[in-house]
Amino acid sequence: MNNLKGMIFAAVFAFSSGSALIEVPAQPPSVAAQRSMRYTSRSADDAKAWQRDVRVKLFQQLRLDDMISKRNLIPFDPKELSGADRGTYHVREIEINSTSSRRILIVVTVPRGTDGLVPAVVCIGGHGSTLYSPYDPDTLAAKDSRAKSDTIYRGFGTVLAARGYVTISTTVSQHEVYDEGRLLMGERLWDLIRCVDYLQSMPEVDDRRIGCAGLSLGGEMAMWLAAMDERVAATVSSGFLTTMDQMEKNHCLCWKFDGLRELVDFADIYSLVAPRPLQCQNGMLEPPTQFYVPLARRAMEEVRMIYNDLGRPENVVLDIHEGGHVIDLPGLVSFSEKHLYQNRWK
């Protein structure tokens, strides 16, 4: 009887206060308890120690810990396959070594007539995308007809290229594991880390101003790249901020691997980015089954804790835009201009 009274009181309170508790159910205690390394507020020094510990464990679970120490021993051996002049920038298709036994195709744009070093952005597509998806066809069209879904990216790679950024893209939408003993998420992340390596090798790039941006799976991979690679100075993760509970339903489970849920939730992975600038984008038209704004708000409250603890609360932004599952291009551009092109945060 007391439990019933409590439930009635909670329901009345939620209704009268306009709470979103009905729309955003609390995480089951059994799941919450699985997060053995969930971030909780602490001193700045302890927050940094937490980040180091979580990063080590995640590299182990991603089966990348052995690769990180020897990536500088893998030569790129680049082979240019095509190139074109687009007026304000050059675009090239290049093949490079990702591992000692596997090569990947990348797209690279380089601005013309630059005076000094310039910022760079790793541009990441989502499910069903290719390395061409972040760009307009005028930059470099795919060999086959472009999917209609490519319009969700709003050509953000082309926009950044035209504004004077070096950009780079590769395909991380595969659902096959290439090398025995590896994980899908690990291989996707590794190829993006190699993109950062390649940017660092370019004489035009200011390696203090390397950013990343992506939508959907690309937003997820932007989260992973920035969380695990501290060379990434600023990040836009679009159409992904949510909880693992939500991703268990109505979504591809390619995000999930053994040991992940027992350790962290997505808010904790995003927390590894702090205090570096982070913008998460979620659209108001996303339905409750997808990347729902109330869920994003709840997850962002967790992420804000570590930014507060590290003394940089202004560096994390939740961009709620009026669209659906699309890049908020004005938000991405203004964030990149502030934190990469001008690099004010440093």
Side-chain angles (χ1 to χ4, degrees), residues 1 63 175 210 223 236-237 248 258 276 306 318 320:
M1 187 67 178
R63 301 182 191 174
H175 282 78
I210 294 175
M223 171 195 73
V236 176
S237 174
E248 291 275 6
D258 288 346
R276 291 165 287 148
I306 193 166
L318 177 55
I320 304 298

Side-chain angles (χ1 to χ4, degrees), residues 112-179:
R112 295 183 60 191
T114 58
D115 183 16
L117 300 177
V118 298
V121 177
V122 182
C123 301
I124 315 170
H127 279 101
S129 70
T130 69
L131 69 170
Y132 309 104
S133 297
Y135 300 96
D136 286 341
D138 289 341
T139 294
L140 195 63
K143 298 296 185 295
D144 302 317
S145 59
R146 296 174 65 85
K148 290 182 180 179
S149 63
D150 281 2
T151 60
I152 63 179
Y153 302 105
R154 304 286 173 82
F156 77 91
T158 295
V159 171
L160 293 174
R163 295 182 74 91
Y165 295 77
V166 168
T167 73
I168 190 169
S169 177
T170 193
T171 301
V172 291
S173 59
Q174 76 277 8
H175 282 78
E176 60 180 309
V177 177
Y178 297 124
D179 294 330

